[in-house]
C-alpha cells in the first residue's frame, strides 16, 4: 500500500462531507474521490473537500486503484447494494449506520466480506469517541462496581414530512433505525448480548415508528432502558449505574466530551455525620425560605462535602468521525478483516435483535415462558 491512506466517498450528503473534513485531521489521510447519484451534489462536495476527484459512478469509485477504503453514506435501504459493490471490487468498507435495513441483508454482507477476505465495518462512530472508550475502560476497571442498569436516550423534534430522510418508508428510516441504533449499540458495547427484550413504539401518520422504548435484560440480570424519537427532544444522554456508583455521559449521546462519575455514599463516621448535619440544620433553622433551599440543594451539598462527584473531559477536534477512520486504517494496514471495537458479527446481532423486536415486540432466549 502506498504511503498514507486514501478514502473514497460513496455518497455526497452532509454526513459524507463531515466525514471528509474529519479525515483531514488524521496525519496521512485524505479523501481522494467522491461519487454520488446527483452530479451537482458530488461536485459541491468535491469542491468543499479540496477539489478531490469527482467520479461519475459508484462502480468507477469501487474500481479506482487509488483508493484504500470506501465510506458508504447513502440511505440505509441502499447499503446492501453499495457495500456489496465495494466488497466485490476488493475494497475495504466503512458503512454508515444502520449497517442494513434487515438482518438478512446484514448476514449477506458479512458472508460476502468473509468470502472475499475484505475488511468491513459498520460506522458506529460513537464507539470510538474518547469519552465512550473511557466509559467502558473505567467500567471494566470496576470503578462503579457491578453494573445494574443502563439508561440511554436520543431524540429530536423533526417536523413530519413523509418524503424526508427521517420518515421515508422506502429508504428504510424510522426512529429505531435512524436514532435507536445508537443507544442499542451502546448497550451491546457496555453490557454484551441481551437474553431478553421488549419494545413499545408510537407511529407517525404513515405508520413509520416515530418513537420507541426498548427494555433489555442481560444474563447478569442487568437491565437497560433505551428510548428514541423523532417527535420529541430527549435529554440525549446515558447513565450507567453500578453497585458503587454511576457514570453519566454528557449530551450528545453519540459524541460526548464529558464523563461524570458519582460514587455511592459510603457510611460516614459519626463525627462527619454530625458536622454535615449541623451545617444543614443551621441552614434550615434560619427561615422558611432557607428550609426550602436546603431541601432542594441538600443532595448537592452532600456531594460537595463528601466529594462524591467528579467529571473528566475528553475533548476532540471536529465532528469525531476521525476516530473510526483511524481504526479502519489501522485494521486494513494490519491485514485485519474486522475491528474488535465494532465487530461485523455484532452488527449482525444488533440487526437481528432489532428485527425480532420490531416483528414480535419481545424475545426471550432460552426461556419458554417469555420475557
Amino acid at each position: 500500500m502506498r504511503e498514507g491512506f486514501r478514502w473514497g466517498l460513496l455518497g455526497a450528503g452532509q454526513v459524507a462531507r463531515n466525514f471528509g473534513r474529519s479525515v483531514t485531521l488524521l496525519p496521512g489521510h485524505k479523501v481522494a474521490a467522491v461519487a454520488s447519484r446527483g452530479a451537482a451534489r458530488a461536485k459541491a462536495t468535491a469542491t468543499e473537500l479540496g477539489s478531490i476527484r469527482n467520479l461519475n459512478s459508484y462502480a468507477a469509485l469501487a474500481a479506482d486503484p487509488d483508493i484504500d477504503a470506501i465510506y458508504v453514506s447513502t440511505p440505509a435501504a441502499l447499503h446492501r447494494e453499495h457495500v456489496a459493490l465495494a466488497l466485490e471490487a476488493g475494497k475495504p468498507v466503512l458503512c454508515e449506520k444502520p449497517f442494513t435495513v434487515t438482518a438478512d441483508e446484514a448476514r449477506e454482507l458479512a458472508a460476502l466480506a468473509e468470502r472475499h477476505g475484505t475488511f468491513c465495518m459498520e460506522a458506529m462512530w460513537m464507539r470510538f469517541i474518547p469519552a465512550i472508550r473511557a466509559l467502558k475502560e473505567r467500567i471494566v476497571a470496576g470503578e462503579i462496581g457491578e453494573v445494574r442498569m443502563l439508561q440511554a436516550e436520543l431524540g429530536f423534534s423533526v417536523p413530519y414530512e413523509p418524503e424526508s430522510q427521517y420518515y421515508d418508508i422506502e429508504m428504510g428510516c424510522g426512529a429505531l433505525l435512524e436514532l435507536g441504533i445508537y443507544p442499542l449499540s451502546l448497550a451491546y458495547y457496555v453490557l454484551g448480548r441481551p437474553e431478553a427484550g421488549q419494545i413499545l413504539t408510537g407511529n407517525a401518520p404513515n405508520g413509520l415508528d416515530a418513537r420507541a422504548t426498548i427494555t433489555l435484560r442481560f444474563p447478569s440480570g442487568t437491565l437497560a432502558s433505551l428510548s428514541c424519537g423523532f417527535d420529541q427532544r430527549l435529554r440525549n444522554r446515558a447513565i450507567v449505574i453500578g453497585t458503587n456508583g454511576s457514570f453519566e455521559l454528557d449530551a450528545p449521546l453519540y459524541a460526548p466530551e464529558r464523563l461524570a462519575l458519582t460514587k455511592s455514599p459510603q457510611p460516614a463516621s459519626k463525627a462527619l455525620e454530625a458536622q454535615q448535619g449541623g451545617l444543614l440544620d443551621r441552614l434550615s433553622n434560619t427561615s422558611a425560605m432557607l428550609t426550602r433551599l436546603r431541601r432542594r440543594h441538600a443532595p448537592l451539598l452532600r456531594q460537595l462535602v463528601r466529594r462524591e462527584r467528579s467529571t473528566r473531559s475528553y475533548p476532540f477536534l471536529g465532528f469525531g468521525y476521525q476516530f473510526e477512520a483511524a481504526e479502519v486504517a489501522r485494521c486494513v494496514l494490519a491485514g485485519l478483516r474486522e475491528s474488535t471495537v465494532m465487530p461485523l458479527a455484532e452488527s449482525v446481532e444488533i440487526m437481528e435483535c432489532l428485527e425480532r423486536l420490531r416483528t414480535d415486540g419481545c424475545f426471550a432466549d432460552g426461556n419458554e415462558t417469555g420475557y
Side-chain angles (χ1 to χ4, degrees), residues 151-325:
Q151 299 169 346
E153 56 186 47
L154 185 62
F156 301 96
S157 182
V158 180
Y160 174 66
E161 297 178 5
E163 297 181 357
S164 72
Q165 68 178 86
Y166 299 103
Y167 292 99
D168 187 352
I169 295 178
E170 296 299 322
M171 288 293 101
C173 290
L176 277 169
L177 285 176
E178 187 72 23
L179 298 179
I181 195 74
Y182 282 111
L184 182 58
S185 187
L186 179 65
Y188 267 79
Y189 182 55
V190 173
L191 303 175
R193 184 177 185 177
E195 65 176 6
Q198 60 183 8
I199 187 172
L200 291 174
T201 62
N203 294 337
N206 64 352
L208 198 73
D209 53 277
R211 72 201 75 89
T213 294
I214 298 171
T215 304
L216 300 174
R217 186 182 69 227
F218 296 80
S220 63
T222 302
L223 300 179
S225 176
L226 317 171
S227 298
C228 63
F230 281 153
D231 55 358
Q232 56 192 313
R233 183 170 183 85
L234 300 178
R235 290 176 299 174
N236 302 329
R237 297 183 177 188
I239 183 169
V240 183
I241 304 167
T243 53
N244 297 331
S246 64
F247 282 119
E248 184 174 356
L249 287 168
D250 203 3
L253 174 66
Y254 45 76
E257 294 191 24
R258 292 186 299 177
L259 178 61
L261 167 64
T262 301
K263 298 294 288 184
S264 297
Q266 300 299 314
S269 66
K270 291 184 178 180
L272 181 59
E273 287 180 348
Q275 180 183 2
Q276 294 172 359
L279 171 63
L280 295 177
D281 286 342
R282 286 194 297 274
L283 284 176
S284 63
N285 291 335
T286 304
S287 67
M289 179 180 295
L290 284 182
T291 297
R292 291 193 294 271
L293 288 173
R294 179 231 178 181
R295 290 171 180 168
R296 182 181 303 171
H297 298 295
L300 176 60
L301 286 171
R302 292 191 182 97
Q303 287 180 6
L304 291 174
V305 172
R306 298 180 186 176
R307 299 188 179 185
E308 295 170 354
R309 186 176 176 88
S310 61
T311 301
R312 293 186 190 176
S313 295
Y314 300 86
F316 56 85
L317 298 174
F319 299 95
Y321 294 101
Q322 64 266 29
F323 303 111
E324 64 177 357

Side-chain angles (χ1 to χ4, degrees), residues 37-164:
R37 291 176 298 177
R41 176 179 289 186
K43 182 179 179 180
T45 299
T47 300
E48 181 178 330
L49 297 180
S51 299
I52 61 176
R53 286 181 291 119
N54 176 12
L55 302 181
N56 57 14
S57 72
Y58 295 148
L61 184 75
D64 192 327
D66 198 37
I67 290 174
D68 299 316
I70 289 178
Y71 172 66
V72 175
S73 62
T74 49
L78 302 175
H79 285 179
R80 186 204 62 79
E81 174 188 348
H82 295 154
V83 172
L85 177 68
L87 291 175
E88 288 170 350
K91 285 289 193 295
V93 179
L94 176 63
C95 177
E96 191 51 61
K97 60 81 200 164
F99 186 52
T100 55
V101 174
T102 69
D104 279 344
E105 290 179 349
R107 286 188 289 265
E108 177 187 339
L109 292 180
L112 188 62
E114 176 68 23
R115 186 160 64 248
H116 287 277
T118 305
F119 178 88
C120 184
M121 187 180 87
E122 179 182 11
M124 183 48 69
W125 58 302
M126 174 186 70
R127 291 196 181 196
F128 300 90
I129 296 295
I132 292 182
R133 296 295 296 273
L135 170 68
K136 182 163 185 177
E137 291 170 1
R138 296 176 69 180
I139 287 173
V140 172
E143 289 191 41
I144 59 170
E146 297 180 14
V147 176
R148 290 288 182 258
M149 183 170 289
L150 182 152
Q151 299 169 346
E153 56 186 47
L154 185 62
F156 301 96
S157 182
V158 180
Y160 174 66
E161 297 178 5
E163 297 181 357
S164 72

Side-chain angles (χ1 to χ4, degrees), residues 321-341:
Y321 294 101
Q322 64 266 29
F323 303 111
E324 64 177 357
E327 174 71 358
V328 172
R330 183 190 70 81
C331 292
V332 170
L333 294 172
L336 303 177
R337 297 179 183 178
E338 293 188 46
S339 164
T340 57
V341 180

